[in-house]
Amino acid sequence: MTQWTAADIDDQQGRTFVVTGANSGLGEVAARALGKAGAHVVLACRDTEKGERVARSIGDNAEVRKLDLADLASIREFADGIDEVDVLVNNAGVMALPLRRTVDGFEMQIGTNHLGHFALTGHLIDKVTDRVVTMSSGLHQIGSVDLDDLNWTRRRYSRWAAYGQSKLANLLFAYELQRRLTASGSSVKSVASHPGYASTNLQAHTESIQDRVMALGNRFLAQSAEMGALPLLYAATVPSVAGGTYLGPDGFMEQRGYPHVVSSNKKSHDVAKAAGLWTLSQQFTGVAFPFD
């Protein structure tokens, strides 16, 4: 793939995309690009007021629906309102927060980034006709999934270790979902992506001095959100993308550039760990996938 951009997205008229976290950052950029290509875009947002502003700028082919990934009841209610979706884009996320918990008692980063999207995908998978795209991060490299203490109730909490765990969990989930879809005979694909180092508001919620440091990084080192969203958009729209593919930027250390196929670390391909995480995620969320 050679310097693919959003201008290369095929006509998406007649197709429906659900994009989580579409009220800002990479999700907003992706929703705008998909809408411009003619898709019907469902902006799944916790902040619906911001979502409505984005939807109005896209046009009549965009709508906003309330979704709080830190609340299993909200996820269930959202999914019940969706009839059919071609592509589910699991984009929303939080990063490096102080220790806090979701409505259901999960550590906020694993609860939002992984368990929330796990539950959403489980509720919607029978309604998905094409693919599920899950956003990970290059920082999955620092992660380690602890199945005995996924929610940081015994370990000393580390905000960055918790973020790395959640992003590694995203990849374990994406790959395991593809294995289970394949085993069930489904034609639906599971694909993953990461944005490299992209300038978004994700880096502004650590509630610490790190916010100021990352603001400088966003200004002088990061690529734009428009560039950061390209691997996600490629994963979501290009017909030839195979299930189980991971896409990221093609530049130095995958920090910036145009989308291409990238690799992930050995931990992300641990089949036993992925199966264990799947089982644990079902237990925590109470969501069973139909092919299980």
Side-chain angles (χ1 to χ4, degrees):
M1 57 194 80
T2 304
Q3 295 192 347
W4 186 93
T5 73
D8 297 308
I9 298 174
D10 292 338
D11 184 3
Q12 299 296 311
Q13 291 191 52
R15 286 164 60 80
T16 297
F17 291 73
V18 169
V19 182
T20 67
N23 59 283
S24 65
L26 300 175
E28 177 182 350
V29 172
R32 291 183 187 279
L34 293 168
K36 185 176 181 180
H40 177 73
V41 187
V42 179
L43 286 72
C45 307
R46 185 179 60 179
D47 189 333
T48 55
E49 183 177 345
K50 289 183 179 178
E52 290 289 355
R53 288 199 292 269
V54 176
R56 285 194 296 270
S57 72
I58 294 172
D60 293 340
N61 54 327
E63 63 172 303
V64 178
R65 299 199 185 184
K66 176 77 172 180
L67 173 65
D68 184 352
L69 287 164
D71 183 347
L72 292 176
S74 174
I75 295 168
R76 189 180 307 109
E77 182 178 0
F78 173 88
D80 286 345
I82 300 294
D83 294 324
E84 184 176 276
V85 55
D86 293 281
V87 181
L88 169 61
V89 179
N90 290 326
N91 161 77
V94 293
M95 184 175 77
L97 300 177
L99 178 59
R100 57 174 57 110
R101 302 204 174 271
T102 69
V103 170
D104 304 282
F106 310 135
E107 184 274 317
M108 185 62 75
Q109 296 190 80
I110 196 71
T112 301
N113 299 354
H114 168 63
L115 292 171
H117 281 124
F118 179 92
L120 179 64
T121 306
H123 285 306
L124 289 179
I125 195 65
D126 271 350
K127 304 175 184 181
V128 175
T129 64
D130 183 5
R131 68 189 73 178
V132 177
V133 181
T134 300
M135 180 72 84
S136 183
S137 166
L139 289 178
H140 79 274
Q141 300 279 0
I142 68 170
S144 182
V145 172
D146 187 339
L147 297 181
D148 294 322
D149 191 21
L150 195 69
N151 284 302
W152 298 85
T153 58
R154 294 192 296 274
R155 290 178 286 169
R156 181 179 179 181
Y157 181 71
S158 164
R159 66 177 75 207
W160 285 106
Y163 181 70
Q165 175 181 248
S166 73
K167 293 289 101 179
L168 177 58
N170 288 149
L171 281 174
L172 287 165
F173 166 65
Y175 295 152
E176 181 67 8
L177 177 59
Q178 182 59 54
R179 285 189 286 268
R180 293 180 185 236
L181 287 166
T182 299
S184 72
S186 174
S187 62
V188 174
K189 297 184 285 191
S190 172
V191 186
S193 69
H194 82 85
Y197 187 2
S199 178
T200 72
N201 61 0
L202 182 67
Q203 296 98 333
H205 298 286
T206 69
E207 300 176 27
S208 72
I209 190 64
Q210 294 177 44
D211 287 346
R212 296 183 182 180
V213 175
M214 288 188 288
L216 290 173
N218 280 357
R219 184 175 179 182
F220 296 110
L221 299 175
Q223 65 178 350
S224 68
E226 285 71 22
M227 286 296 296
L230 291 182
L232 172 65
L233 287 166
Y234 192 101
T237 64
V238 174
S240 62
V241 171
T245 300
Y246 184 35
L247 291 130
D250 64 358
F252 179 67
M253 296 183 68
E254 300 173 19
Q255 294 296 290
R256 56 175 58 239
Y258 296 90
H260 80 147
V261 176
V262 297
S263 59
S264 57
N265 67 7
K266 185 177 180 180
K267 289 180 180 179
S268 70
H269 294 286
D270 185 331
V271 175
K273 180 62 68 75
L277 178 63
W278 188 281
T279 299
L280 191 61
S281 299
Q282 286 187 319
Q283 293 172 356
F284 282 152
T285 64
V287 176
F289 284 60
F291 41 75
D292 291 333

